Amino acid sequence: GLMQLIRVFLAAFLATALATNSTSGAEAQCHPECKWQCDDPSCPAVCHPVCERPKCEISCEETPCAKCTIHCERPICSVRCPKDMCEMEGCPKCETVCSPAKCHTKCVAPEPKCNPVCEETKCDWKCKKPTTCPKPKCELQCEKPECATTPKCCECTAAGNAAAAVAAAGSAPGDAEMAPSFIEVMDNMRHGKINGEKMCCPCKA
């Protein structure tokens, strides 16, 4: 009769209320986060050295003395005798007379041993971004939803569905204070009847 219908509706209402209360914590995870996942390609920069102008000087070893030789022309000589000659001892004798010597000096300078000597090279690297580096590849990945599946709704007029509602109301976890009062049940029944709604019970397994 009416009381049986009230009991079924109360059980269905209680089962729905407790199920809603137990899944309220899971609703926070019903909308998973989505994030971009990208790889990380790396490329070497394009660099070239930039150096200061070198500072150099010539350094030579100590040179030895030059090698010199004296070259002279053949001497020109002649014999001169006095006009008054005699054969006795103490008489003037003939003598050899030569023209002055004609000589010159010829020297050969040693080969210098010299080498350039420079300060240490000072360079810096000038780099720029490469033009052929591949761009990162990205993919939007979303977490798997961990939502509780919405229970199926079946008419409470079937005996099996009504029994399932009573069993669900008795075994569902939750606070007893969340259970609806008799006035709330009756008010919901009246409102549902006016709007032509049917009571919703769990489907029989």
Side-chain angles (χ1 to χ4, degrees), residues 141-157:
Q141 295 184 355
C142 299
E143 299 173 350
K144 291 184 178 180
E146 298 181 4
C147 307
T149 40
T150 305
K152 295 181 180 180
C153 182
C154 294
E155 293 184 6
C156 295
T157 54

Side-chain angles (χ1 to χ4, degrees), residues 135-204:
K135 295 182 179 180
K137 298 178 181 179
C138 297
E139 181 181 359
L140 188 62
Q141 295 184 355
C142 299
E143 299 173 350
K144 291 184 178 180
E146 298 181 4
C147 307
T149 40
T150 305
K152 295 181 180 180
C153 182
C154 294
E155 293 184 6
C156 295
T157 54
N161 297 336
V166 174
S171 62
D175 194 350
E177 295 180 358
M178 296 298 296
S181 65
F182 181 76
I183 297 176
E184 290 176 334
V185 173
M186 295 302 296
D187 183 67
N188 281 318
M189 288 179 63
R190 183 178 59 83
H191 181 74
K193 187 175 181 180
I194 294 173
N195 295 333
E197 297 175 356
K198 294 181 180 180
M199 288 186 296
C200 184
C201 287
C203 298
K204 180 183 177 182

Side-chain angles (χ1 to χ4, degrees), residues 91-146:
C91 291
K93 295 180 179 180
C94 296
E95 60 180 356
T96 300
V97 180
C98 296
S99 60
K102 295 182 178 180
C103 298
H104 64 276
T105 303
K106 187 176 182 181
C107 298
V108 178
E111 289 291 332
K113 295 181 179 179
C114 301
N115 292 296
V117 178
C118 301
E119 293 182 357
E120 185 178 355
T121 306
K122 296 180 181 179
C123 297
D124 287 327
W125 288 98
K126 186 175 182 181
C127 301
K128 62 180 181 179
K129 296 179 181 179
T131 56
T132 57
C133 190
K135 295 182 179 180
K137 298 178 181 179
C138 297
E139 181 181 359
L140 188 62
Q141 295 184 355
C142 299
E143 299 173 350
K144 291 184 178 180
E146 298 181 4

